[in-house]
Amino acid sequence: MLPLLAKVLKVLNSEASPWQIGWAIALGLFVGILPFGLLTLLIVLLVCLLTINLTTFILVWGLTEGLMLLFAYPLEQLTWQYAQNDTLLTWLAETETLQLLHLHHTLTLGAFVLGALLLVPVAWLSKVLVQQYRYRIMTNVEKWKLTQMLKASKLFALYEKLN
Amino acid sequence: MIRKSGWLVFITFFTALLALVYLLAGPAIRLGMVYSLEKAVGAEVNINSVSLKLAPLALQVEGLQITDAANPSHNSFSFNQATAALELWPALLGYYVVNELTVDGLQYGAQRRQPGEVYRTPGADGEKIDIADVLQVDLPNADELIARANLQTPEKAEALKQLALSEQQQLKGLKDKLPGKDTLEQYQADIKALTDSKITNAADLAAKAQQLQQLKDKLNAEKQRVLEAKQQLTQSKDSLQQAVAELKAASEADYAKVQQLANLSDGGLAGISQILLGDVWGQRIAQLQSLYLLAKPYLPDELPQQSTEPGEPDVVLPNRILPLPSQPYPDFWIKQARVNWLIGGGEATIAMQDITAQHALINSATKFSLDVKQLPQLAAFNLQGDFAILQQMVTNLSWQLEGLNLQPLTLGKDDTALSITDGLISSSGKLNLTDNQISQQASVLLKAANFSSSGNKYLQQLATLLDNQAQIPLNIAATGLVSAPEVSIRSSLDKVIGDALLGEAKQKVAQYQNELKAKLDAQLQQGLAGQQDWASLLTEQDSDISNISDSIENMLNAKLADVKDQAKDKLKDKLLDKLGKKDNQP
């Protein structure tokens, strides 16, 4: 738990831009919702090619994968219910690329739609939150007695070590 | 914004992933298979190893054993090795198209090295038959049999009773509508008064004619009512006669049905073979239910836009494929399969083509065949069949088996056990399974069988008698719902056994037959009880109506004729008077 917290703090306090962290959170969430497949690899490639914060991306991916153990079934049920649309089904049947991305699989389709809908709002919200953290909290936190105590603790030593 | 080392990071990630998949996929699939199979069968499942090959893409399963929950020292199903070679492009699209599946060393009921664990004890054991119960000849009594046979007599008797009641009500109502004796006498008196009265002049004639016409109209109306009543009476008679005929026919049909049910018409006892093997065969057939349950999610009426029956659990397939209007491949499709089956002390190969659940997509049915000859314990076995899920699930199967050495088999246990030590079985038959409805015909011939029993005297007698038979033929038919089929097993041996072994039961059977006949007769008599009442009522009504009808007809005809004659006479008198006056004139 301590290394994980240290990593989060390290990223938040690093030089990484809020947008890089925001997109890392949004894409980590996207890739975590999706069942593993070609879409996952495409998103990972995108993350690798762009200067998106990798640590945040991997952390959020892992956490979301865990959450999907709970939410995959209802999401699949919901998609099965709403995807019975002739136009959509014909489009999926006629486009092999979409099938290559496994979008004709109930869970993949549901996860892709949900992930795509959340992508930009989550990226923007994360960016705002990181900015707010850095502007309002980070400087104050430095002055807290607790922080001073923490700086003398094992956690801080680990943080320093990671630096 | 572009990471310079991006491609390198991705390639490293991808390679690590491939290595991980290659190393861990096998164990992961093995764990998944063991978990899901154990959950399904409720007993220990062992798999030696599962490995993934990349070129060509193939999955190999080694040493699968599924413990028989009812007999943990044996496997219900096992094989040495199975290999499935997947096609890459369909697999990338998410469809499992297997070019070739081979299963080697498939066995049913092989012994395990050590007993497997049982997590869920199965229900009633199909093999256990209490022969003692059979030999006690505990026939159901007449009431039970009548209740079980779904007889028509009580229903028809009730229908007749209801019909007779409603007809009686109608007839009573009818009587009120008809003119009574007084009314008719009144009509007669009126007509008589009218016709007997003297007609004084033309105006009087016209008035009386009008009065007569009014009476005639009334009488005609009465006549119409009488006619309607007659018609209704005829209808009543017809429908009641029909109901009586139906009741009598139902009673006769029911007696025949009950006789057949108890097998009394042959003079023997209810089929021993039916009692002995009926349940066993029924349970074997019911195992085909699993095939139907497997196919059920693919049957058209299970599509989600149609409502499913209440109470039925929703069928869920994980990460299932949406029902696309034109899929390039079925969800799964095994183009060729070769199963090496250990049977009859040797090996037989089952060849299968086009195994899928979406036959419409490949425009072909799943076919399977097996043809073996001269195995150590089996002379010949030929099996042909096909299976398709289109609008319905249809399975056809036919087989011909010659000279299968029977393994020692014990029916029942302890002092009610009957053992078959050896024998040769030949069988031929066919089976059709349409959705969950089965229709199956088979003939089984047991030759040179040796029976033994250390049980009670009845069983010993039975074993001796069976031993003396050169061959024991059985005709087995199963129809109806696959989960609870109606099995009929007939054998020419039944009568022999019935006559020889169960002589003392014959008296009981004869008594039973009489009791049954009396019971059905009583039901018939009860049903016909009201018949005499309404028959006499109908006859009485019929004669009343005929009398009324005749009397009205007489009144109408006779009185009208008199009026005319009188008018004619008066005219004649007048003319004669006039002529007389003229003659007197000079």
Side-chain angles (χ1 to χ4, degrees):
Chain A
M1 202 58 202
L2 279 178
L4 195 72
L5 191 65
K7 275 183 186 173
V8 174
L9 285 173
K10 182 176 173 271
V11 170
L12 286 174
N13 298 346
S14 70
E15 294 302 313
S17 83
W19 271 119
Q20 284 174 335
I21 299 172
W23 280 112
I25 291 172
L27 286 165
L29 187 77
F30 197 173
V31 91
I33 296 172
L34 279 169
F36 193 86
L38 200 59
L39 270 172
T40 319
L41 290 178
L42 285 175
I43 295 171
V44 170
L45 178 63
L46 190 75
V47 171
C48 290
L49 289 179
L50 300 175
T51 51
I52 288 166
N53 190 280
L54 277 175
T55 315
T56 315
F57 172 75
I58 292 167
L59 271 176
V60 176
W61 183 0
L63 285 173
T64 319
E65 283 287 352
L67 282 177
M68 282 311 281
L69 293 174
L70 291 174
F71 295 113
Y73 182 72
L75 181 63
E76 189 182 3
Q77 293 289 95
L78 206 70
T79 316
W80 180 260
Q81 197 181 335
Y82 286 102
Q84 309 292 335
N85 177 297
D86 288 343
T87 323
L88 173 73
L89 294 177
T90 315
W91 186 46
L92 285 172
E94 285 170 359
T95 322
E96 214 163 44
T97 319
L98 296 179
Q99 290 185 33
L100 194 64
L101 298 175
H102 284 203
L103 287 175
H104 58 310
H105 283 225
T106 324
L107 185 59
T108 315
L109 179 67
F112 180 76
V113 172
L114 182 68
L117 284 175
L118 291 176
L119 189 67
V120 177
V122 169
W124 178 79
L125 192 69
S126 305
K127 184 216 95 178
V128 171
L129 286 175
V130 170
Q131 277 176 337
Q132 290 301 314
Y133 167 81
R134 285 183 180 172
Y135 179 68
R136 290 179 192 276
I137 303 172
M138 201 172 78
T139 43
N140 290 334
V141 167
E142 293 285 323
K143 295 171 194 165
W144 289 353
K145 277 192 177 174
L146 185 72
T147 319
Q148 305 292 332
M149 278 166 71
L150 276 173
K151 276 193 170 180
S153 73
K154 196 179 160 191
L155 173 68
F156 190 73
L158 190 73
Y159 170 70
E160 287 289 297
K161 199 175 148 192
L162 280 167
N163 259 336
Chain B
M1 288 302 275
I2 302 287
R3 206 193 304 267
K4 284 173 190 169
S5 58
W7 279 107
L8 192 67
V9 173
F10 180 72
I11 289 166
T12 313
F13 169 80
F14 192 63
T15 316
L17 187 78
L18 277 184
L20 213 65
V21 167
Y22 186 68
L23 290 173
L24 296 181
I29 294 170
R30 182 180 161 275
L31 281 176
M33 279 178 75
V34 169
Y35 174 77
S36 44
L37 283 170
E38 282 187 345
K39 204 173 163 189
V41 298
E44 186 178 336
V45 173
N46 309 91
I47 297 173
N48 289 350
S49 69
V50 177
S51 54
L52 189 71
K53 289 178 182 171
L54 291 180
L57 190 63
L59 191 73
Q60 189 167 310
V61 182
E62 303 252 3
L64 179 136
Q65 297 181 69
I66 300 174
T67 307
D68 185 351
N71 184 14
S73 61
H74 287 71
N75 289 322
S76 61
F77 174 88
S78 61
F79 61 73
N80 297 336
Q81 191 187 62
T83 312
L86 277 165
E87 277 189 26
L88 185 64
W89 181 247
L92 285 176
L93 296 183
Y95 302 103
Y96 302 103
V97 178
V98 175
N99 258 332
E100 192 170 12
L101 171 79
T102 53
V103 182
D104 290 323
L106 176 85
Q107 267 183 297
Y108 290 100
Q111 190 158 15
R112 291 175 63 88
R113 279 189 197 154
Q114 56 185 46
E117 280 186 53
V118 177
Y119 310 121
R120 202 170 56 236
T121 317
D125 187 355
E127 300 293 342
K128 287 175 190 163
I129 303 161
D130 201 345
I131 302 255
D133 283 351
V134 176
L135 297 181
Q136 276 169 6
V137 203
D138 196 12
L139 291 172
N141 65 30
D143 287 330
E144 277 173 7
L145 196 63
I146 284 175
R148 210 190 291 176
N150 187 23
L151 300 181
Q152 296 300 307
T153 308
E155 196 185 309
K156 295 282 179 194
E158 186 56 35
L160 176 64
K161 204 171 155 187
Q162 291 302 325
L163 185 69
L165 268 176
S166 75
E167 294 294 344
Q168 271 176 352
Q169 289 292 333
Q170 280 189 5
L171 290 177
K172 275 175 193 163
L174 202 68
K175 209 170 180 179
D176 299 338
K177 284 183 199 165
L178 293 175
K181 217 173 176 180
D182 296 344
T183 322
L184 285 174
E185 277 173 4
Q186 185 59 48
Y187 278 129
Q188 203 147 15
D190 288 351
I191 289 169
K192 196 169 168 24
L194 204 62
T195 50
D196 287 353
S197 63
K198 295 245 171 167
I199 296 166
T200 49
N201 50 34
D204 190 28
L205 177 65
K208 281 183 176 161
Q210 197 185 352
Q211 281 174 14
L212 191 67
Q213 189 57 44
Q214 280 170 353
L215 276 172
K216 195 180 154 190
D217 289 345
K218 280 184 187 172
L219 279 170
N220 273 329
E222 297 286 8
K223 190 182 165 186
Q224 192 57 39
R225 277 200 283 275
V226 170
L227 276 175
E228 279 169 13
K230 258 190 165 175
Q231 218 167 359
Q232 200 172 344
L233 207 60
T234 316
Q235 273 177 5
S236 292
K237 263 183 176 176
D238 288 348
S239 56
L240 285 165
Q241 269 166 2
Q242 196 186 340
V244 170
E246 275 177 19
L247 177 63
K248 282 183 175 166
S251 178
E252 278 167 22
D254 283 349
Y255 184 63
K257 197 171 171 183
V258 173
Q259 265 193 322
Q260 198 188 2
L261 200 72
N263 203 11
L264 298 179
S265 50
D266 291 345
L269 188 72
I272 295 282
S273 49
Q274 169 91 39
I275 298 168
L276 204 62
L277 295 170
D279 286 349
V280 177
W281 194 264
Q283 280 158 3
R284 289 286 167 272
I285 291 283
Q287 287 174 346
L288 288 171
Q289 169 85 350
S290 56
L291 180 68
Y292 171 65
L293 290 177
L294 269 175
K296 210 176 169 195
Y298 298 95
L299 292 175
D301 60 349
E302 284 298 307
L303 288 178
Q305 52 263 42
Q306 291 176 12
S307 62
T308 49
E309 284 175 39
E312 274 194 23
D314 215 9
V315 185
V316 177
L317 300 173
N319 198 16
R320 57 192 161 174
I321 294 171
L322 288 164
L324 301 184
S326 56
Q327 268 183 232
Y329 305 96
D331 295 359
F332 73 90
W333 178 18
I334 300 169
K335 290 182 175 175
Q336 294 280 343
R338 189 184 56 78
V339 180
N340 179 250
W341 186 11
L342 299 178
I343 180 180
E347 290 183 6
T349 303
I350 305 177
M352 291 186 260
Q353 285 104 41
D354 299 322
I355 303 170
T356 181
Q358 291 156 298
H359 295 89
L361 287 175
I362 58 167
N363 201 22
S364 172
T366 301
K367 294 183 192 75
F368 47 92
S369 66
L370 167 77
D371 197 2
V372 287
K373 283 191 177 98
Q374 303 304 325
L375 294 178
Q377 296 189 36
L378 176 64
F381 185 26
N382 177 274
L383 177 86
Q384 301 280 344
D386 57 70
F387 163 79
I389 302 172
L390 295 163
Q391 285 306 305
Q392 286 181 310
M393 181 191 81
V394 181
T395 308
N396 291 302
L397 185 72
S398 65
W399 71 89
Q400 199 134 24
L401 182 137
E402 288 292 331
L404 172 70
N405 271 335
L406 198 65
Q407 299 295 315
L409 169 78
T410 303
L411 299 168
K413 56 182 180 180
D414 302 333
D415 65 331
T416 61
L418 177 71
S419 300
I420 307 172
T421 49
D422 54 34
L424 280 173
I425 283 189
S426 296
S427 171
S428 65
K430 55 186 179 182
L431 180 149
N432 170 273
L433 181 65
T434 303
D435 284 351
N436 58 353
Q437 295 291 320
I438 189 147
S439 160
Q440 171 266 312
Q441 285 285 340
S443 68
V444 179
L445 196 64
L446 180 61
K447 287 184 212 163
N450 282 318
F451 292 85
S452 70
S453 169
S454 55
N456 59 40
K457 63 170 186 170
Y458 293 114
L459 276 172
Q460 283 169 4
Q461 275 178 299
L462 180 64
T464 314
L465 189 80
L466 290 171
D467 263 347
N468 291 336
Q469 304 298 316
Q471 55 183 35
I472 298 170
L474 297 164
N475 283 313
I476 307 171
T479 50
L481 209 62
V482 68
S483 56
E486 277 184 30
V487 178
S488 147
I489 301 183
R490 290 283 172 266
S491 168
S492 55
L493 196 65
D494 287 348
K495 197 171 181 305
V496 180
I497 297 176
D499 287 347
L501 188 65
L502 304 164
E504 61 189 277
K506 281 203 152 187
Q507 205 178 346
K508 191 174 174 182
V509 171
Q511 185 192 341
Y512 175 68
Q513 192 169 9
N514 289 336
E515 200 183 322
L516 203 60
K517 178 89 182 123
K519 200 96 191 169
L520 280 172
D521 282 350
Q523 279 196 347
L524 180 66
Q525 288 311 319
Q526 206 181 345
L528 295 177
Q531 191 195 4
Q532 295 305 322
D533 297 345
W534 60 254
S536 60
L537 185 71
L538 278 180
T539 318
E540 192 187 321
Q541 289 274 26
D542 201 12
S543 73
D544 280 0
I545 289 174
S546 294
N547 290 340
I548 294 167
S549 178
D550 291 346
S551 143
I552 290 174
E553 210 60 44
N554 284 338
M555 278 191 263
L556 280 171
N557 290 333
K559 301 308 171 188
L560 200 61
D562 287 350
V563 172
K564 279 180 187 169
D565 288 346
Q566 203 179 20
K568 270 185 201 166
D569 289 346
K570 285 190 177 175
L571 272 169
K572 206 172 156 187
D573 289 347
K574 273 187 179 177
L575 280 169
L576 284 173
D577 283 350
K578 280 189 178 176
L579 283 171
K581 279 178 188 171
K582 276 188 180 173
D583 289 343
N584 293 334
Q585 279 175 1

